[in-house]
Amino acid sequence: MTVRTRFAPSPTGYLHIGGVWSALFGWLYARKHGGQFLLRIEDTDTKRTVPGAIENLMNSLRWFGLDWDEGPDIGGPYGPYIQTQRAELYQEYANWLVGHGWAYKCFATPEELAEMRQKKVPGGYDRRYREFPARETAELEAQGKPYVIRFKMPLAGETAVPDLLRGNVIFKNNQFNDYILLKSNGLPTYHLAHLVDDHLMKISHVTRGVEWLNTAPIHVNLYQAFGWQMPVLVHLPVILNPSGKGKLSKRHHSFLDEGTKVLVRADEYVSAGYLPEAVVNFLANIGWSFGDDREKFTVVEALERFELADISPAPVKLPYSKLEWLNGQYIQEMDAVELAKALKPFLEREGWEVNVESLILVMPAMKPRMKTFPDAIPFLRFLFDEVPLTATAATLSDNKLPPQAAKAAFQEVRDYVTAVQPFDVATIGPALSEIGAKYTSNHKPGPFLGKLRLGITGQEVSPPVFESMVALGRARTLVRLDEMIALFS
């Protein structure tokens, strides 16, 4: 059997991180078994469709590295891959069910349905048109009366839903109503559309949220009515808030105990400064274990071990606190050029003009200080903002570097920086350390270099002083040294 999986979101808003998680598991399984991964847009709820949502979700999936073999933008042998473009197909299959006695046309008006709900009719509908005479049905249709098509759910007995993670889940049929398959506007509901598409697109495995398990009996009975083989159903576990209290919401943010907002929009992870490979690694750890007590692994490594059957069906807390740690690990593995280029747009977002060559100089020192890209902003502000020196003679000196010694040391540094060639870290590092040891009372460079860094950057936190000076440039370093020396006049 050729493995074919799909991700089928509705363009009713942004892509939720839980949707990315579901897509990831289907994508991993298809790639692991040499199959195909499809993107299908389920847009039949036209009232809730948001302009631009399809482009947004496709861009988000691409950012995470989840590519597809067939989809609305690239086509494929079973297209179109947007459901509103397949409306006639669903009408054909809905009418086939009617013609073969598995479904019926229901002419219940909104007023009638409201009355049924008011009377608390189970399911909000009393099946009054289920066995309606064919002649009278034809008369109502000839009069132009609007109708929906409903499926004839079995009235007794049980339906077993085969789920890969849970085995057969048994449901009593009498708890279900006759679900609508085709709406009065000619568009299908999810129950019909996804099933027809999965069959025609030869989907072998369906990964979806466990919230769909309770309505899966209608899908089982629909497959039986059509005489089609069902795909393997994989109902993924509920993702809980990090606290373990309640399901991770699509509409409401949750917060960690220290007040950190939990990101739920997929595109928020881009703007928040996370790496796609780190977020994918993070998501793969939810409900599935790589093994060997490893939480950090690449997609390639995951592909070697991943199986849908190994996913735990139990509800799982979002391990959000581990995301920053993982992201920091991936940042530390980046080379200086790659990191500088990745950081550039986040600095430009502050309104700064960024020279990547200057950034490269401080990237090795910045790696261990960053969990996300915006973490670099307070460290690197001195490179871009012309902030007046706020240090004083007192803050640039101490008992190991008295004021007169500090002034003399800074002056010697200024003379050295003016003439030294080349002006790079390898050259200035030993020389500045030697100057520091010369003027401190303990003859160690550390106390001096800390004051020099404070004066040069004007910040309590910044990269090491040698890298900071070279990144700042000779001219701006000399200006800052002049300001520092003037404090001791």
Side-chain angles (χ1 to χ4, degrees):
M1 175 181 66
T2 299
V3 169
R4 285 173 61 84
T5 63
R6 46 74 164 175
F7 180 52
S10 298
T12 54
Y14 62 81
L15 179 60
H16 188 263
I17 194 64
V20 180
W21 174 67
S22 174
L24 171 63
F25 282 171
W27 181 89
L28 282 171
Y29 193 72
R31 295 291 176 255
K32 164 71 180 287
H33 293 280
Q36 293 90 45
F37 177 72
L38 283 65
L39 176 63
R40 187 174 74 221
I41 304 301
E42 299 191 343
D43 62 340
T44 57
D45 190 353
T46 53
K47 292 182 180 178
R48 296 178 59 214
T49 296
V50 174
I54 296 176
E55 291 74 17
N56 175 274
L57 72 87
M58 288 197 295
N59 289 337
S60 294
L61 289 174
R62 290 192 185 99
W63 185 80
F64 286 103
L66 304 182
D67 58 334
W68 48 93
D69 303 292
E70 301 169 28
D73 56 332
I74 58 176
Y78 303 104
Y81 294 87
I82 296 178
Q83 286 187 337
T84 50
Q85 298 174 9
R86 300 166 64 85
E88 291 184 4
L89 192 64
Y90 307 126
Q91 294 164 12
E92 175 186 335
Y93 280 98
N95 285 315
W96 185 93
L97 290 169
V98 172
H100 286 77
W102 295 104
Y104 61 95
K105 295 174 181 178
C106 170
F107 296 87
T109 65
E111 294 75 20
E112 290 174 324
L113 292 170
E115 183 181 355
M116 292 179 218
R117 287 192 294 269
Q118 188 175 13
K119 292 180 178 178
K120 297 185 172 13
V121 172
Y125 173 64
D126 59 9
R127 292 188 168 97
R128 63 181 58 181
Y129 288 96
R130 181 176 172 121
E131 302 301 338
F132 206 59
R135 183 175 58 80
E136 295 182 34
T137 295
E139 289 176 358
L140 289 175
E141 192 171 357
Q143 294 170 20
K145 298 288 186 182
Y147 63 86
V148 298
I149 291 180
R150 292 180 180 266
F151 182 64
K152 291 183 177 179
M153 278 294 288
L155 301 177
E158 297 176 334
T159 295
V161 177
D163 179 74
L164 182 66
L165 307 184
R166 299 167 182 81
N168 281 342
V169 183
I170 307 300
F171 293 86
K172 296 286 187 182
N173 289 330
N174 61 10
Q175 65 182 294
F176 298 100
N177 211 313
D178 290 352
Y179 288 81
I180 295 174
L181 301 181
L182 199 71
K183 294 177 284 189
S184 59
N185 64 1
L187 289 177
T189 61
Y190 170 80
H191 301 298
L192 177 66
H194 92 277
L195 188 142
V196 169
D197 288 346
D198 284 346
H199 174 71
L200 297 180
M201 294 178 183
K202 302 186 185 302
I203 300 301
S204 64
H205 295 74
V206 172
T207 56
R208 62 185 183 186
V210 70
E211 63 269 18
W212 289 109
L213 182 58
N214 287 335
T215 52
I218 185 177
H219 309 148
V220 172
N221 282 283
L222 271 170
Y223 273 108
Q224 292 173 352
F226 281 123
W228 295 341
Q229 181 177 349
M230 284 182 58
V232 177
L233 299 180
V234 187
H235 290 95
L236 301 175
V238 171
I239 300 181
L240 303 174
N241 287 315
S243 65
K245 298 177 181 178
K247 178 182 175 182
L248 186 67
S249 174
K250 288 190 70 172
R251 296 173 180 83
H252 305 289
H253 283 94
S254 61
F255 295 85
L256 302 183
D257 291 340
E258 70 273 18
T260 301
K261 184 176 79 169
V262 176
L263 305 181
V264 296
R265 292 179 57 139
D267 54 9
E268 287 180 315
Y269 287 82
V270 182
S271 58
Y274 290 98
L275 287 162
E277 51 265 46
V279 185
V280 166
N281 187 163
F282 165 71
L283 293 175
N285 278 315
I286 301 174
W288 179 75
S289 174
F290 182 85
D292 302 332
D293 292 324
R294 281 182 60 186
E295 293 182 308
K296 181 179 179 296
F297 47 84
T298 66
V299 167
V300 173
E301 291 174 317
L303 285 172
E304 295 174 359
R305 301 191 179 194
F306 183 80
E307 292 292 347
L308 289 172
D310 293 335
I311 298 171
S312 170
V316 57
K317 291 193 295 185
L318 186 74
Y320 198 75
S321 59
K322 294 181 180 178
L323 176 58
E324 284 199 349
W325 171 80
L326 269 173
N327 204 62
Q329 295 295 304
Y330 280 94
I331 285 176
Q332 291 194 46
E333 293 176 356
M334 300 175 75
D335 64 47
V337 175
E338 182 185 18
L339 181 55
K341 290 179 178 178
L343 185 56
K344 183 174 183 283
F346 292 89
L347 300 178
E348 290 175 334
R349 202 164 64 185
E350 297 293 305
W352 297 332
E353 288 189 23
V354 179
N355 184 318
V356 170
E357 294 302 317
S358 296
L359 275 187
I360 290 171
L361 297 169
V362 296
M363 289 299 96
M366 286 302 304
K367 284 183 184 182
R369 295 168 168 82
M370 296 167 60
K371 293 293 189 292
T372 63
F373 293 133
D375 290 345
I377 292 171
F379 286 87
L380 302 180
R381 189 171 298 277
F382 75 98
L383 290 175
F384 308 101
D385 285 346
E386 297 291 346
V387 180
L389 181 63
T390 57
T392 65
T395 58
L396 294 180
S397 60
D398 56 24
N399 59 348
K400 293 180 181 178
L401 185 67
Q404 288 303 313
K407 180 179 180 180
F410 294 148
Q411 183 63 58
E412 187 168 336
V413 170
R414 191 206 187 285
D415 295 340
Y416 173 76
V417 169
T418 301
V420 65
Q421 292 293 347
F423 185 59
D424 59 25
V425 172
T427 303
I428 70 172
L432 296 183
S433 295
E434 185 177 333
I435 293 172
K438 176 180 173 182
Y439 287 96
T440 54
S441 60
N442 63 356
H443 303 296
K444 294 182 178 179
F448 164 75
L449 294 176
K451 300 300 183 182
L452 180 62
R453 183 191 60 77
L454 177 61
I456 292 295
T457 67
Q459 301 177 175
E460 292 294 335
V461 293
S462 68
V465 65
F466 309 143
E467 288 84 351
S468 293
M469 291 172 67
V470 175
L472 195 61
R474 190 195 306 266
R476 293 178 67 195
T477 297
L478 289 172
V479 169
R480 185 62 82 171
L481 283 166
D482 285 340
E483 293 175 344
M484 294 161 60
I485 294 167
L487 294 174
F488 293 91
S489 300

